[in-house]
Amino acid sequence: MSTTETRELARPAAAKASPAKPRRALRGSPTVNFWLFTGPFLIGLTVFVYAPILWSLYLSFFEARFTVTPDKFVGLENYTYMLTNDDFVGSLVTFTAFAAFIVPTTWALSLGLALLVNRLRFMRAFFRSVFFLPTACSYVAASLIWKMSIFSGVRFGLMNTVLDWFGIDNIAWLVDPNPPWYWVVIVSARLWLQSGFYMILFIAALQNIPGELYEAAAIDGAKPGWQTFRYITLPQLRATSTAVVLLLLVAAYQAFDEFYNLLSKTTWGRPPLVELYYKALGESQDYGAGSAGAVVLTVLICAVTLLQGRFMGFGRGEESK
Amino acid sequence: MTTTMPGAPGVRESAPSPDKPPRVKRGGGGVMSSTGLYIATGTAGFLFLVPFYLLIRNALSTDADITGENWKFFPTDIQWGNISELFTDETVPFAQSMWNSAVVATLHTTGVLLVCSLAGYGLARIPYKHANKVFYAVLGTLMVPTAVTFVPSFVLVSSLGWVDTYRGLIIPGLFSGFTCFLFRQYFLGFPKELEEAARVDGLGYWGAYWRIVVPNSLNFFAAMATITFINGWNSFLWPLVIGQSPDAWTVQVALSNYMTNQTVVFHIIFMATAFSILPLVFVFLFLQRWLVQGIAQTGIKG
């Protein structure tokens, strides 16, 4: 009752505000426009992002083999299965180690390249392009070059040819997990692909450091080189470093492309996503266990991200916004 | 830029390198350290170019040259015929996969820019009571890597009957929380006066957006387009899951299949790889300005 009353009251009021142009009022209404602008995105986000996430959660509590509309609730069974599955847990452990290694290495290499390029006087654009160009390559293309040419296990692979010049025997880079030479292949491919991208970030950040800081440091007697780097450059790069480490961490846990292609027929050296791929879309089509694994992986990534944010002082950079 | 001014040693030194301790006094020894600098950069640059060299060498060689007893630095005869051989090869539909990639990457880029920029603008500029809640809902998706949800996504897409279709390859990837976030950050910094002028002239939000905001943001759009295109062209996991029949393969899936094929024809494989990289090399050469700008912007803001 009362709602009708208010509506009747409100209508003439609104009409008074824009008497001749009701369409104009609609067009100018912020709420309508908000949904007009964000609606398509939000609908898509709900259907293609939120729905799969929720569905995944749902599936993880059911026995879902060869079906996505399961009816047998199994509680946490999929989780206990995945968390006691040596392959999956092993790959989580391995990839935590992998992340702990590849993240600082890529960080250091891209920062080093940025420092080098930033100091160049001649051919600066050239070298920047050289280091940046690998970003154009996909992980698949890089895997192919690495597997078929550089680290080909046979005699005519580049590395084995070079080793041969020094009288060292051929190494089967990707075939044998003992010793695990395949890490050399994977790490070098990743460094080649990623460093240039993060180098660009660091160059941009380096150029934002005000020159006065270095002048002040010089007056205070800081020696150029290590001291200024340690006490001026590095702290000034903190926000960028945090962002870079964050991006690298997430990328490390989501590694898929190069492992899938470089180690295509192996049962070892599988990152979590490859494990999940074979679990869910392989022969067993175990969507329940696969989803439980995905949830575990997501929680792990979130935890590591938050931990890293805590550790490196995420949010301190907020002030500069 | 890093030239040392006499009398002010090392003052303008904008980026001292960690791997070169100040053994040399900057005042007098500029030549020494810059030689070292160029040696270090040159070596690194050389190593970064080796894979490209191998790619081109192998693509233009015969298999006999590649697998021969002695290492050949350059092909004995440059085999331009490898190109036509690649495109007439029946075992892998390479031309089709290039076309698929071009269509997918282009539509992906257009779609992402359209949908995410509109949403970003709405979140940044249009006052609405619950705008913050909506924004947090978008931010929340950044915590969950999309790659992790590929299993239920695949199930969803296949129940829609979109396996092996362009729709299936493109549409699920359009709703990038990260891109939306970047657009929002960008529009927050867009000068308000311009829009207010448009409003005074009688344009609504929609009109102001298309006539004022977009034309004045083309640099940012170009930067985002370049990055999105590269990601679309290079993505692998989703096309692998969706592209089940060879006709629906993108070029990355086709390359991956070359690697697992029973027969290995080196020069074909490398020529295919070279062609798969070619479009992006063009993007790099001609659009590097926007690309660098885009990465710098996204990195700093993100």
Side-chain angles (χ1 to χ4, degrees):
Chain A
M1 272 297 249
S2 62
T3 35
T4 10
E5 267 174 0
T6 31
R7 214 183 264 163
E8 270 164 10
L9 273 173
R11 207 177 279 155
K16 211 181 274 173
S18 54
K21 295 176 186 167
R23 283 194 62 218
R24 179 70 182 282
L26 185 70
R27 215 170 54 175
S29 151
T31 308
V32 171
N33 271 288
F34 181 84
W35 292 110
L36 179 70
F37 276 80
T38 57
F41 177 78
L42 292 176
I43 291 170
L45 199 72
T46 312
V47 174
F48 291 105
V49 180
Y50 271 106
I53 292 174
L54 294 177
W55 199 343
S56 196
L57 258 171
Y58 171 79
L59 283 176
S60 71
F61 294 109
F62 284 82
E63 185 184 303
R65 286 186 190 217
F66 304 101
T67 174
V68 290
T69 47
D71 41 24
K72 195 176 162 205
F73 182 78
V74 292
L76 292 173
E77 220 166 82
N78 285 322
Y79 287 92
T80 44
Y81 169 74
M82 284 312 271
L83 288 172
T84 51
N85 180 320
D86 287 344
D87 289 340
F88 184 66
V89 175
S91 88
L92 286 183
V93 172
T94 315
F95 274 77
T96 305
F98 172 66
F101 177 76
I102 193 81
V103 172
T105 316
T106 317
W107 175 83
L109 181 64
S110 36
L111 178 56
L113 290 176
L115 291 169
L116 282 177
V117 170
N118 204 38
R119 279 183 81 186
L120 294 180
R121 259 172 286 165
F122 311 109
M123 294 170 68
R124 181 190 222 177
F126 170 77
F127 276 111
R128 194 187 64 185
S129 303
V130 166
F131 296 130
F132 189 40
L133 198 56
T135 309
C137 295
S138 66
Y139 278 87
V140 185
S143 308
L144 198 143
I145 301 172
W146 256 245
K147 185 183 189 178
M148 300 281 189
S149 201
I150 301 179
F151 289 101
S152 171
V154 286
R155 168 185 43 76
F156 53 82
L158 177 70
M159 280 309 277
N160 280 347
T161 305
V162 173
L163 290 177
D164 194 48
W165 292 340
F166 295 100
I168 301 168
D169 283 341
N170 288 352
I171 292 174
W173 296 99
L174 290 165
V175 184
D176 189 3
N178 289 312
W181 286 115
Y182 64 93
W183 286 113
V184 177
V185 183
I186 280 157
V187 166
S188 59
R190 219 157 227 266
L191 285 178
W192 183 73
L193 281 165
Q194 290 191 327
S195 303
F197 181 85
Y198 297 106
M199 174 196 75
I200 298 287
L201 287 185
F202 277 122
I203 291 179
L206 282 173
Q207 285 168 352
N208 280 342
I209 302 179
E212 297 89 59
L213 280 179
Y214 290 104
E215 286 166 26
I219 290 166
D220 287 348
K223 295 196 200 83
W226 174 249
Q227 276 194 344
T228 30
F229 174 74
R230 170 70 186 78
Y231 294 104
I232 309 286
T233 314
L234 212 50
Q236 286 290 313
L237 292 179
R238 186 187 198 110
T240 310
S241 289
T242 313
V244 167
V245 170
L246 187 78
L247 293 170
L248 283 171
L249 259 180
V250 176
Y253 276 103
Q254 291 192 70
F256 179 86
D257 299 8
E258 79 268 47
F259 287 88
Y260 180 87
N261 286 301
L262 285 170
L263 306 169
S264 52
K265 283 176 185 124
T266 61
T267 50
W268 37 267
R270 281 184 184 173
L273 268 192
V274 177
E275 286 289 348
L276 294 181
Y277 177 83
Y278 285 119
K279 176 113 305 217
L281 301 179
E283 309 222 310
S284 62
Q285 295 234 351
D286 194 338
Y287 293 122
S291 300
V295 173
V296 171
L297 183 60
T298 309
V299 170
L300 183 68
I301 293 178
C302 289
V304 171
T305 311
L306 290 176
L307 207 70
Q308 180 257 353
R310 252 303 187 37
F311 183 63
M312 291 191 64
F314 207 47
R316 252 180 260 183
E318 290 291 305
E319 294 145 29
S320 63
K321 260 180 198 163
Chain B
M1 192 191 162
T2 56
T3 331
T4 324
M5 274 178 259
V11 162
R12 299 298 306 167
E13 191 56 67
S14 60
S17 162
D19 44 20
K20 268 188 288 305
R23 235 182 301 122
V24 194
K25 274 245 166 63
R26 292 292 300 157
V31 179
M32 267 286 288
S33 73
S34 86
T35 314
L37 175 69
Y38 276 89
I39 290 174
T41 321
T43 316
F46 171 76
L47 289 176
F48 267 69
L49 287 176
V50 165
F52 288 110
Y53 150 72
L54 283 172
L55 176 66
I56 296 165
R57 163 191 175 268
N58 292 350
L60 294 172
S61 295
T62 58
D63 269 33
D65 271 354
I66 298 170
T67 60
E69 188 66 39
N70 292 311
W71 182 264
K72 284 209 165 59
F73 282 96
F74 297 100
T76 345
D77 281 310
I78 293 185
Q79 302 288 322
W80 295 113
N82 291 352
I83 299 175
S84 58
E85 202 184 322
L86 167 68
F87 283 100
T88 50
D89 180 30
E90 301 273 302
T91 53
V92 174
F94 186 74
Q96 176 70 37
S97 75
M98 284 288 277
W99 170 248
N100 289 343
S101 276
V103 171
V104 169
T106 310
L107 293 180
H108 172 75
T109 309
T110 320
V112 167
L113 285 195
L114 183 70
V115 172
C116 296
S117 69
L118 281 174
Y121 184 80
L123 287 170
R125 273 293 204 265
I126 304 180
Y128 174 58
K129 227 178 2 184
H130 303 295
N132 258 342
K133 282 175 203 155
V134 175
F135 179 56
Y136 286 127
V138 175
L139 273 191
T141 63
L142 297 186
M143 294 295 283
V144 185
T146 45
V148 169
T149 60
F150 72 90
V151 174
S153 299
F154 169 73
V155 172
L156 178 76
V157 168
S158 70
S159 63
L160 290 170
W162 287 2
V163 174
D164 284 336
T165 63
Y166 284 144
R167 270 170 302 175
L169 285 167
I170 298 164
I171 294 176
L174 294 184
F175 310 99
S176 155
F178 190 54
T179 313
C180 171
F181 170 73
L182 293 175
F183 269 109
R184 174 186 174 268
Q185 299 301 96
Y186 169 79
F187 287 130
L188 281 178
F190 190 85
K192 252 197 166 113
E193 297 76 29
L194 279 177
E195 289 156 277
E196 274 159 12
R199 302 293 297 283
V200 170
D201 288 349
L203 289 173
Y205 284 103
W206 190 256
Y209 179 73
W210 288 108
R211 298 215 204 144
I212 306 295
V213 177
V214 174
N216 282 299
S217 308
L218 289 183
N219 264 339
F220 189 76
F221 273 83
M224 298 307 292
T226 326
I227 293 179
T228 312
F229 184 84
I230 291 174
N231 287 337
W233 184 272
N234 282 345
S235 72
F236 175 65
L237 175 56
W238 186 248
L240 175 75
V241 174
I242 290 298
Q244 312 237 315
S245 89
D247 284 340
W249 286 350
T250 64
V251 74
Q252 308 300 337
V253 182
L255 284 187
S256 172
N257 271 284
Y258 275 118
M259 265 186 281
T260 46
N261 258 2
Q262 294 299 319
T263 48
V264 173
V265 187
F266 283 100
H267 63 267
I268 294 285
I269 295 180
F270 281 95
M271 188 53 89
T273 313
F275 266 93
S276 81
I277 295 174
L278 207 59
L280 293 193
V281 170
F282 275 113
V283 169
F284 264 63
L285 292 182
F286 296 111
L287 304 176
Q288 208 187 63
R289 202 184 109 216
W290 284 296
L291 192 56
V292 168
Q293 221 175 52
I295 293 177
Q297 247 155 354
T298 53
I300 288 163
K301 295 276 168 77

